[in-house]
């Protein structure tokens, strides 16, 4: 019996991460070749059709979003992508309402959420965008998993996770043997599912810290807008502030106050770069009552004030028509 063709649309925005696109298309192509079928077909879509430029400055020709219909539509974009027309989110809502499956990879979760289609579904958000996502969508369930797969909404937190998402589609339609062979073709070591936490650079990961320091970081970052003091964290852990100081110095070379400031600054930079929130609001989101103190600490961390950093990135976007960075 001939396998029915599954049509996949990739809705692209200027500056979309090219690796995320190829990480989905290539496994689907390989699955067709290995199974000697035309199980998967795909189209590149955009809001109005025409040429779009990827983050790697490579141009892609696209069809305008619309008929013929797809079974799946995956949004690929930077986190700063905006809809050019209200017809696009309306089309996505109608597609979803009539049984189509929507998804997004990396920064594509931002326009997907703005289209008001995700409902109560958990969203896999790349760690690099997590603070900006939480700032824009505080009521949504962001996830630190590499994949979040439901019947009608699928999200992947980056290019490698997009490959896993493609393997999931292949396994669902052609079985685990074909999915395993596709993974072997590309020397993809394993098919990750929805219970795998994203890898984060070791220097930034609280999970890489000794247990005592990791628990302290969890306490101090639980509500970044209303941070507790080192003394309060130590009291909750049943240790002295001096003991916590020694633990952090041994593990990181920094005291807990400076380490926590580093985490706050990294979160703040995401919000500065990937939202339009006023600087004063961002200061409050990471626990600063004084915008001046926030700006000073930001400049100490990154060599420029938040306003200068945002201006620099926005200038690049205007001149190059590209977001920075796109993952």
């Amino acid at each position: 019996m001939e396998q029915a063709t599954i049509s996949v649309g990739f809705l692209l925005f200027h500056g979309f991460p090219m690796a995320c696109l190829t990480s989905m298309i290539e496994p689907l192509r390989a699955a067709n070749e290995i199974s000697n079928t035309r199980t998967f077909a795909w189209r590149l879509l955009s809001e109005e059709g025409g040429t779009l430029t990827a983050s790697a400055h490579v141009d892609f020709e696209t069809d305008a979003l619309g008929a013929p219909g797809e079974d799946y539509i995956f949004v690929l974009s930077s986190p700063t992508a905006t809809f050019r027309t209200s017809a696009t989110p309306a089309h996505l809502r109608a597609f979803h309402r009539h049984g189509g499956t929507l998804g997004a990879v990396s920064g594509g979760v931002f326009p997907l959420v703005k289209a008001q289609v995700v409902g109560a579904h958990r969203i896999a958000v790349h760690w690099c965008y997590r603070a900006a996502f939480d700032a824009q969508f505080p009521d949504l369930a962001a996830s630190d998993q590499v994949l979040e797969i439901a019947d009608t909404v699928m999200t992947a937190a980056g290019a490698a996770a997009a490959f896993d998402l493609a393997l999931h589609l292949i396994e669902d339609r052609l079985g685990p043997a074909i999915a395993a062979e596709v993974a072997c073709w590309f020397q993809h070591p394993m098919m990750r599912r929805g219970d795998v936490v994203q890898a984060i650079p070791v220097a930034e990961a609280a999970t890489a810290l000794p247990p005592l320091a990791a628990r302290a970081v969890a306490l101090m970052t639980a509500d970044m807008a209303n941070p507790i003091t080192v003394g309060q964290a130590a009291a909750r852990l049943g240790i002295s502030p001096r003991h916590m100081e020694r633990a952090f110095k041994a593990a990181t070379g920094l005291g807990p106050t400076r380490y926590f400031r580093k985490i706050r600054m990294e979160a703040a930079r995401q919000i500065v770069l990937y939202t339009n929130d006023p600087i004063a609001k961002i200061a409050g989101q990471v626990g600063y009552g004084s915008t001046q103190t926030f700006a000073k600490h930001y400049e100490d961390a990154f060599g420029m004030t938040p306003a200068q950093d945002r201006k620099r990135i926005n200038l690049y976007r205007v001149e190059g028509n590209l977001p920075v960075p796109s993952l």
Side-chain angles (χ1 to χ4, degrees):
M1 182 176 178
E2 186 175 349
Q3 179 76 44
T5 298
I6 305 303
S7 179
V8 181
F10 296 98
L11 178 58
L12 311 179
F13 290 78
H14 279 294
F16 74 92
M18 188 171 75
C20 294
L21 177 63
T22 57
S23 289
M24 289 202 71
I25 288 180
E26 284 298 288
L28 300 181
R29 172 194 62 80
N32 284 347
E33 293 187 24
I34 290 169
S35 65
N36 195 30
T37 67
R38 288 286 299 167
T39 300
F40 296 100
W42 49 87
R43 290 198 305 152
L44 305 186
L45 307 171
S46 63
E47 292 188 273
E48 299 170 334
T51 303
L52 261 76
T53 303
S55 56
H57 299 274
V58 177
D59 291 340
F60 289 81
E61 291 299 320
T62 66
D63 297 328
L65 182 65
E70 274 71 35
D71 299 295
Y72 297 85
I73 294 178
F74 293 99
V75 182
L76 277 65
S77 75
S78 78
T80 55
T82 56
F83 295 116
R84 296 174 64 89
T85 167
S86 61
T88 302
H91 180 97
L92 295 177
R93 289 192 294 271
F95 173 82
H96 193 236
R97 190 167 56 249
H98 289 93
T101 297
L102 285 170
V105 180
S106 194
V109 299
F110 286 75
L112 183 70
V113 169
K114 291 174 184 175
Q116 300 180 336
V117 293
V118 301
H121 291 290
R122 288 175 59 82
I123 305 298
V125 180
H126 193 289
W127 64 267
C128 186
Y129 301 142
R130 180 60 185 268
F133 186 91
D134 289 345
Q136 288 193 50
F137 313 114
D139 298 326
L140 290 185
S143 165
D144 62 358
Q145 307 293 309
V146 295
L147 293 174
E148 289 290 348
I149 297 175
D151 289 340
T152 60
V153 176
M154 301 178 173
T155 51
F163 197 105
D164 294 308
L165 181 54
L167 289 177
H168 172 85
L169 299 181
I170 294 164
E171 182 181 61
D172 185 58
R173 300 294 172 171
L174 294 173
I178 298 295
E181 188 167 349
V182 169
C184 289
W185 266 33
F186 294 94
Q187 293 297 293
H188 194 73
M190 61 177 287
M191 177 179 170
R192 297 177 299 177
R193 301 181 187 275
D195 57 350
V196 178
V197 176
Q198 296 176 49
I200 301 174
V202 171
E204 314 303 333
T207 53
L209 296 173
L212 178 62
R215 291 199 301 273
V217 169
L219 285 172
M220 290 189 290
T221 58
D223 183 1
M224 208 170 290
N226 299 287
I228 63 174
T229 65
V230 170
Q232 289 170 325
R236 293 187 190 183
L237 292 171
I239 60 175
S240 70
R242 180 60 182 158
H243 185 177
M244 196 161 85
E245 183 86 19
R246 287 196 300 268
F248 267 87
K249 281 285 181 67
T252 70
L254 299 173
T257 299
R258 293 194 68 84
Y259 190 86
F260 182 42
R261 181 192 299 177
K262 182 173 179 286
I263 293 174
R264 293 159 79 189
M265 289 299 100
E266 288 162 353
R269 197 175 204 198
Q270 289 186 31
I271 305 172
V272 168
L273 298 184
Y274 303 127
T275 76
N276 293 318
D277 287 353
I279 301 303
K281 180 179 178 182
I282 297 171
Q285 288 169 329
V286 294
Y288 281 83
S290 165
T291 304
Q292 287 183 326
T293 302
F294 168 67
K296 182 182 184 305
H297 287 177
Y298 193 101
E299 186 171 11
D300 289 344
F302 305 116
M304 63 191 78
T305 67
Q308 290 168 339
D309 205 6
R310 178 174 279 175
K311 182 179 180 180
R312 176 183 63 87
I313 292 298
N314 286 341
L315 180 63
Y316 183 96
R317 288 171 178 147
V318 169
E319 291 181 345
N321 197 28
L322 292 173
V324 181
S326 192
L327 302 170

